[in-house]
Amino acid sequence: MAEIRRSGTWGSALTSDEFAAIRSVGFDSVGQVLGAAVYNVGYTGGYSCPGGWGGYGPAWGPARVPVPGTQVSSQGGYGSFGPLVQTMYEARRKAIGRMVAECDELGGHGVVGVRLSIGPFPSGGLEFKAIGTAVRAPGAPPLQQPFTSDLSGQDFAKLVMRGWMPAGLVLGISIGARHDDWLTVGQTRWGSGNAEVTGYTELVNDARHDARTQLRADVKRIGAQGVVVAEMEFRVRERECPAQEGRRDHIVEAINIGTAIVRFNSQSEQTGPSPLAIMSLDPQRRQAARVNIGANRLALPPSSNY
């Protein structure tokens, strides 16, 4: 980083349009920054089956033992993927923290256009990577903690012009698991017709809701006022139930990534509706209007003020 600063040059991951947009609101690019962490994922949790011990389900009469519903990672306990989710948080935040450290060494005030990625590492494990462009507002004092944002250069500029600033990247991650009980099996048979599969609906809703709850908690953690979400991932897979041979479980992974924002200028909001320009799509009507305006102006006395 010191070598880059001494060189007097900078790099970026910005397009020309993004660079122009950032410059339009008084920020300069100071360099491309990167943070990475490679994790070996060992214990993930979720080895037990939520509901697999419940016996008969509603499709075959009253259950002998109450069957629990969806198990989400934030609840912990029986069949939870909580350890895996905690690892995903830790690895991503470590990569983001190293990227922010590079930004700070370059004298930047924040990072825009951050892209978070995860992929297999050749020697085993997973690589978590964060890459973006560090920016600086010339003449402004250094921040205690540089901001991070996954917004494009254009979206960053729009945010600043409306009186808002990014505070940091926030994450909401949840993994939900549900055993395919007898009711679910019955509702997914060909002969059941067009009907809602209530177990799958509950699984999807619970996982999405939990991810949103974790996202709001992350916004509150960094002291921001709100969040603009740019990426929402949702993946569904199934596995053979570890508790009952021949039965299946379904696993849902919901990930929300966004930029938490704070207001710095309340005067930038307009008090009323902005003017609306209207142009006729009829070329003959527009031509006639221009002719009439010109004729009216030429008909005015020379002393008229127009």
Side-chain angles (χ1 to χ4, degrees), residues 180-261:
D180 288 358
D181 55 24
W182 287 109
L183 177 60
T184 302
V185 172
Q187 289 174 334
T188 53
R189 287 197 176 111
W190 179 83
S192 62
N194 299 330
E196 179 184 11
V197 183
T198 53
Y200 293 166
T201 298
E202 180 183 307
L203 172 62
V204 168
N205 286 338
D206 287 359
R208 289 188 186 276
H209 176 74
D210 188 47
R212 292 197 303 269
T213 300
Q214 303 309 313
L215 185 72
R216 288 196 300 269
D218 214 19
V219 173
K220 185 176 181 180
R221 178 182 63 86
I222 66 175
Q225 295 170 267
V227 59
V228 287
V229 178
E231 183 178 356
M232 299 177 68
E233 297 181 14
F234 190 79
R235 292 188 287 269
V236 182
R237 62 183 175 89
E238 66 176 13
R239 68 175 182 183
E240 185 175 354
C241 176
Q244 290 186 358
E245 186 176 354
R247 299 293 296 277
R248 311 293 295 176
D249 295 340
H250 276 79
I251 314 296
V252 163
E253 180 181 338
I255 300 177
N256 295 340
I257 301 175
T259 296
I261 58 176

Side-chain angles (χ1 to χ4, degrees), residues 33-173:
V33 287
L34 167 71
V38 177
Y39 267 64
N40 175 53
V41 180
Y43 176 64
T44 63
Y47 293 122
S48 299
C49 170
W53 44 270
Y56 296 104
W60 294 86
R64 295 177 181 173
V65 181
V67 179
T70 302
Q71 178 72 260
V72 293
S73 51
S74 66
Q75 295 174 346
Y78 194 72
S80 170
F81 283 87
L84 175 60
V85 170
Q86 290 304 314
T87 300
M88 294 169 70
Y89 274 123
E90 181 182 338
R92 282 182 168 92
R93 286 171 178 162
K94 189 166 288 187
I96 293 171
R98 289 168 179 167
M99 178 187 67
V100 169
E102 287 196 356
C103 170
D104 193 43
E105 290 184 34
L106 289 175
H109 289 104
V111 187
V112 299
V114 177
R115 294 294 173 263
L116 297 175
S117 63
I118 177 174
F121 191 71
S123 297
L126 295 173
E127 180 188 14
F128 296 81
K129 184 171 63 178
I131 186 170
T133 300
V135 296
R136 175 177 57 210
L143 299 179
Q144 184 176 1
Q145 173 77 11
F147 64 81
T148 53
S149 167
D150 61 354
L151 298 174
S152 67
Q154 294 93 325
D155 289 339
F156 171 77
K158 291 175 184 177
L159 204 67
V160 173
M161 288 190 290
R162 299 299 292 180
W164 294 83
M165 279 294 294
L169 283 169
V170 286
L171 308 170
I173 305 174

